[in-house]
Amino acid sequence: MSGHLTYVEAIVIGLLQGVTELFPVSSLGHSVLIPALIGGRWAQDLNVSTPESPYLAFIVGLHVATAIALLAFFWRDWVRIIGGLVTSVRYRRIESADERLAWMIIIATIPVGIAGLLLEHTFRTVLGKPVPAAIFLTFNGLLLYGAERLRRRSTPASTAESTDDGVASDARISAKTIKDSTIIGSAQILALLPGISRSGITMATGLLRGLSHEDAARFSFLLATPVILAAGVLKIPDLFGPLGDGIRGQVLAGSLAAGVAAFLSVRFLVRYFHTRTLTPFAIYCTTAGLLSLAVLTLR
């Protein structure tokens, strides 16, 4: 692929990654489907299922940029949370909301970390193809819609979403049990399947565990940050090896695009989920998945 990934492809995929990683619509699913639907050179250059794919090395750079954007947006919150972890370890206690939330994030991240190390390569090479991605994207839409329906049944009385600051939101999240946070964090394992959204599945699970849309979205973004960053850092040496030859400039351009898109996306979404639901994304994923499946099977 050296010399084949163009700057146009890099910037377009970078923007796509920055948006779809945080919107509940699956970045990996779109990274697989968009090149396949465009066809031609795009389908050849941007194939994530190849065992030693330079495109994968490129996506790693985009993930790091997305994680940095999340850290930049939530930096004050992470200062509090990390401070809570430090005081918890120092004084051997888990009393404050920040201390509790820090341990909830750590414990909730362990299952997906282990699963990612064991299953990511297999899932990507076996299932990281257009048709499975279209099927899983459709399923992602059904999951989001199902979570909204189940939540309405369990909370028939309409309750307005809160619009307060992150400190109050974190206090509500930390009031949940370790079991709740672990279940929500473990849901990220499904996002190893191309087409299943990391943010979508954690938000949906958060709703089912009693969180509001606002708190479910916030907890999803906090949980995603260490996972995305760790996945990128773990594989970033690939960019400095043979897989990165000829595409490092494109990686930089795509990463800048992804970082800007991710920052703007998370700023939009934290406001959106004050009063809105997952339903529009459910409709989009189901429709896009079915249309993609039809195009790919009839082509």
Side-chain angles (χ1 to χ4, degrees):
M1 180 174 153
S2 178
H4 288 285
L5 178 65
T6 68
Y7 278 91
V8 172
E9 291 171 335
I11 292 172
V12 170
I13 296 298
L15 291 171
L16 185 71
Q17 161 69 26
V19 172
T20 57
E21 182 66 47
L22 302 180
F23 277 68
V25 297
S26 178
S27 62
L28 182 55
H30 281 74
S31 295
V32 172
L33 285 172
I34 295 298
L37 292 172
I38 293 175
R41 179 173 178 174
W42 283 66
Q44 296 173 6
D45 292 349
L46 310 179
N47 186 352
V48 74
S49 65
T50 304
E52 295 297 328
S53 171
Y55 181 41
L56 179 62
F58 168 69
I59 290 179
V60 166
L62 304 188
H63 274 77
V64 173
T66 302
I68 291 173
L70 283 170
L71 287 172
F73 187 85
F74 291 110
W75 72 269
R76 293 181 181 85
D77 306 288
W78 279 111
V79 168
R80 284 191 297 100
I81 293 168
I82 293 172
L85 178 62
V86 171
T87 58
S88 176
V89 172
R90 181 178 180 182
Y91 298 110
R92 299 181 181 180
R93 71 185 190 196
I94 305 178
E95 297 177 359
S96 71
D98 292 335
E99 291 169 347
R100 185 171 177 81
L101 183 58
W103 285 109
M104 289 172 72
I105 291 173
I106 291 172
I107 294 172
T109 302
I110 292 173
V112 69
I114 294 173
L117 291 173
L118 296 177
L119 301 174
E120 183 275 336
H121 177 79
T122 300
F123 280 11
R124 176 176 54 81
T125 54
V126 175
L127 299 174
K129 297 177 174 63
V131 169
I135 294 172
F136 286 124
L137 184 61
T138 304
F139 185 56
N140 184 70
L142 296 176
L143 285 174
L144 299 184
Y145 184 72
E148 287 289 351
R149 294 284 294 180
L150 289 173
R151 181 179 186 272
R152 288 184 196 137
R153 288 182 181 179
S154 63
T155 55
S158 177
T159 303
E161 300 286 336
S162 62
T163 57
D164 46 19
D165 60 20
V167 176
S169 181
D170 287 349
R172 291 192 297 271
I173 295 169
S174 67
K176 305 301 289 184
T177 67
I178 294 295
K179 177 182 177 181
D180 287 331
S181 63
T182 303
I183 290 173
I184 296 169
S186 297
Q188 295 180 94
I189 295 172
L190 290 177
L192 295 173
L193 301 170
I196 302 296
S197 165
R198 182 190 311 278
S199 60
I201 196 65
T202 50
M203 286 184 209
T205 308
L207 293 178
L208 296 178
R209 302 306 296 184
L211 292 176
S212 67
H213 288 88
E214 177 186 2
D215 294 345
R218 180 179 177 81
F219 194 36
S220 172
F221 296 142
L222 291 175
L223 284 174
T225 304
V227 175
I228 297 172
L229 186 60
V233 170
L234 185 65
K235 293 189 175 183
I236 208 165
D238 290 346
L239 293 174
F240 300 98
L243 293 181
D245 290 346
I247 64 168
R248 294 189 181 95
Q250 292 91 319
V251 170
L252 180 59
S255 296
L256 289 173
V260 172
F263 188 88
L264 294 176
S265 294
V266 70
R267 187 171 70 173
F268 168 80
L269 288 170
V270 295
R271 296 175 181 175
Y272 173 90
F273 283 114
H274 282 326
T275 56
R276 306 289 183 84
T277 72
L278 290 167
T279 301
F281 304 107
I283 295 171
Y284 166 77
C285 289
T286 304
T287 303
L290 291 174
L291 287 175
S292 297
L293 187 61
V295 170
L296 292 169
T297 53
L298 296 175
R299 176 181 290 174

